[in-house]
Amino acid sequence: MIKKIINVFRQLYHLRNISNSIDRQLNYSSWDSFESLKKEITNKKPESLLAFSSKSYSQNDEDGIITEIFNRIGTTNKIFVEFGVGLGLESNSFNLLLRDWKGLWIEGSEKYCKVINKGLSKTIASGQLKLENSFIYKENINSLISKHISEKEIDLLSVDIDGNDYHIWNEINCINPRVVIFEYNAKILPDLNWCMEYDPNYIWDGTDTFGVSLKFLEEKLGKKGYALVCCNLTGVNAFFVRKDLISDNFPAPFTAKNHYMPPRYYFSSMQFGHPASYNILEKRLK
């Protein structure tokens, strides 16, 4: 009996190793496809920010693009605001915290916020990161931000709440971000103006009815002084820079037609290095 049990465990262990090997091969294949696509696009557009696409702690390839944008325009106070962060370990600002930025996370899930408060207790206690557990509406967004951020001009705002993104952003007047990262609905082709109607009770159901098209963002953010400079390869986020900072740092045209990337959500599952943990920030040597 004992020998049979041992053999069963050996077989399970062997199957687990096979499964892990398959997962690794699929991950390598995904990265090969990602790098090949990046090379193909940047060979055609060598000036594109996509040449700097890379993932560290962002969900996709946003980290490298963010870094390059600020390499070109510089920083002021290194303050960010990001809402819709989940657990924060795959956010657009975790990598910035490692670079001594400071800022605010707003997250609606009480469960996620409890995990963040425990995992980043030192970082939060130091004041580097503020965490607000709240659902976001047009009526409360300015008060949620102003509660924690006193500066009018900040370096970065990242918007990703899977639905009412534009309507919430359009209400913000308490800050003047130099760079805005905006989730867009890549299912909507770049010649079409489309925006989901505002619904304060909206919860994304996993279908294509969410957010806003890239063309709509190009026009609406353009009227408020922002230029579209890039979309990430995964087709999730669009990057806007305030027009007074454009100069010759980014090549025109700043249009949806020029920068649109289709939905390549399969790249989101790529693993970069070992699994992320809060300790990379909490236990760093200062």
Side-chain angles (χ1 to χ4, degrees):
M1 176 63 72
I2 293 176
K3 286 184 177 180
K4 288 183 178 180
I5 293 173
I6 291 173
N7 284 333
V8 168
F9 276 106
R10 282 176 175 168
Q11 290 171 14
L12 290 173
Y13 181 76
H14 180 63
L15 289 173
R16 187 184 71 175
N17 284 342
I18 292 175
S19 176
N20 289 341
S21 177
I22 292 172
D23 287 343
R24 284 194 297 270
Q25 291 301 319
L26 288 173
N27 193 54
Y28 295 151
S29 178
S30 295
W31 276 109
D32 286 343
S33 298
F34 176 85
E35 291 297 333
S36 295
L37 178 62
K38 182 169 77 170
K39 184 177 180 180
E40 177 186 340
I41 292 174
T42 54
N43 279 343
K44 296 176 182 177
K45 297 181 178 180
E47 75 285 356
S48 172
L49 284 166
L50 291 176
F52 302 91
S53 293
S54 61
K55 172 187 174 74
S56 183
Y57 291 95
S58 53
Q59 185 177 14
N60 308 289
D61 52 318
E62 295 88 354
D63 281 333
I65 297 171
I66 294 168
T67 299
E68 178 58 20
I69 288 174
F70 286 104
N71 282 342
R72 297 185 186 189
I73 67 171
T75 56
T76 55
N77 47 28
K78 292 187 176 182
I79 293 176
F80 65 81
V81 172
E82 181 169 6
F83 42 90
V85 298
L87 289 169
L89 288 170
E90 284 192 330
S91 65
N92 289 328
S93 51
F94 192 89
N95 185 52
L96 298 179
L97 288 168
L98 285 169
R99 296 166 183 261
D100 294 322
W101 284 50
K102 59 183 178 180
L104 168 65
W105 284 351
I106 306 175
E107 170 55 46
S109 167
E110 182 179 359
K111 177 182 177 181
Y112 287 169
C113 284
K114 285 181 178 179
V115 175
I116 294 170
N117 271 311
K118 181 179 180 181
L120 291 177
S121 58
K122 288 172 60 178
T123 305
I124 292 171
S126 73
Q128 184 184 3
L129 176 64
K130 306 291 181 64
L131 177 64
E132 180 70 29
N133 179 203
S134 176
F135 287 103
I136 299 172
Y137 306 101
K138 292 198 295 186
E139 296 78 12
N140 71 353
I141 184 58
N142 282 295
S143 61
L144 290 176
I145 294 174
S146 298
K147 178 180 175 181
H148 301 284
I149 304 295
S150 58
E151 291 83 356
K152 178 70 174 180
E153 179 167 277
I154 66 170
D155 276 321
L156 178 67
L157 170 66
S158 181
V159 181
D160 180 359
I161 53 174
D162 297 331
N164 292 314
D165 304 60
Y166 171 74
H167 303 287
I168 299 301
W169 177 86
N170 196 42
E171 293 295 316
I172 296 175
N173 55 35
C174 61
I175 53 173
N176 182 26
R178 300 169 76 232
V179 177
V180 178
I181 304 174
F182 221 115
E183 184 183 45
Y184 69 101
N185 188 336
K187 181 75 174 286
I188 312 299
L189 296 178
D191 61 338
L192 183 60
N193 254 321
W194 182 87
C195 182
M196 189 190 85
E197 64 181 6
Y198 181 65
D199 178 0
N201 300 312
Y202 179 81
I203 298 176
W204 184 47
D205 60 4
T207 69
D208 59 0
T209 306
F210 72 94
V212 60
S213 72
L214 189 62
K215 180 66 175 177
F216 189 93
L217 290 176
E218 174 206 330
E219 294 190 0
K220 295 298 184 181
L221 270 72
K223 289 178 180 178
K224 287 203 172 185
Y226 290 88
L228 173 64
V229 298
C230 186
C231 291
N232 70 322
L233 279 172
T234 311
V236 173
N237 281 311
F239 298 79
F240 294 83
V241 174
R242 224 168 53 198
K243 290 180 180 178
D244 61 297
L245 303 169
I246 291 294
S247 184
D248 58 353
N249 291 310
F250 307 94
F254 306 110
T255 63
K257 181 179 180 180
N258 184 41
H259 288 297
Y260 170 80
M261 287 288 129
R264 301 184 181 99
Y265 303 146
Y266 45 87
F267 284 147
S268 296
S269 63
M270 295 188 306
Q271 182 177 331
F272 183 76
H274 294 298
S277 78
Y278 298 121
N279 283 336
I280 194 76
L281 184 60
E282 289 279 285
K283 296 189 176 183
R284 60 179 172 161
L285 179 66
K286 291 187 177 180

